[in-house]
Amino acid sequence: MITQIDDRINISKNTSAQLLNELMKFLSARDAIKSISTEQNSLKSYFNKKG
């Protein structure tokens, strides 16, 4: 699940890799990413997963 609060986007760890990749592609194409932070340590492995 992806939700927006003010100028932040919250991404649930249940979000599919395909949707996450599409979101990152969309945002980066518009220079819309100011920073990325994780609130839970479990998300570190999600972002570092390969394939």
Side-chain angles (χ1 to χ4, degrees):
M1 173 169 27
I2 299 173
T3 57
Q4 180 180 356
I5 300 173
D6 298 323
D7 64 343
R8 293 178 174 216
I9 296 174
N10 293 317
I11 303 169
S12 159
K13 69 179 189 177
N14 295 327
T15 303
S16 71
Q18 179 182 356
L19 182 55
L20 181 59
N21 285 322
E22 289 174 18
L23 176 64
M24 294 299 182
K25 184 194 248 183
F26 176 84
L27 294 173
S28 64
R30 288 154 182 78
D31 260 351
I33 300 173
K34 294 179 185 176
S35 67
I36 295 176
S37 64
T38 59
E39 292 184 10
Q40 298 176 6
N41 287 336
S42 62
L43 290 178
K44 260 188 191 173
S45 63
Y46 184 81
F47 282 108
N48 292 327
K49 255 186 210 176
K50 294 184 180 177

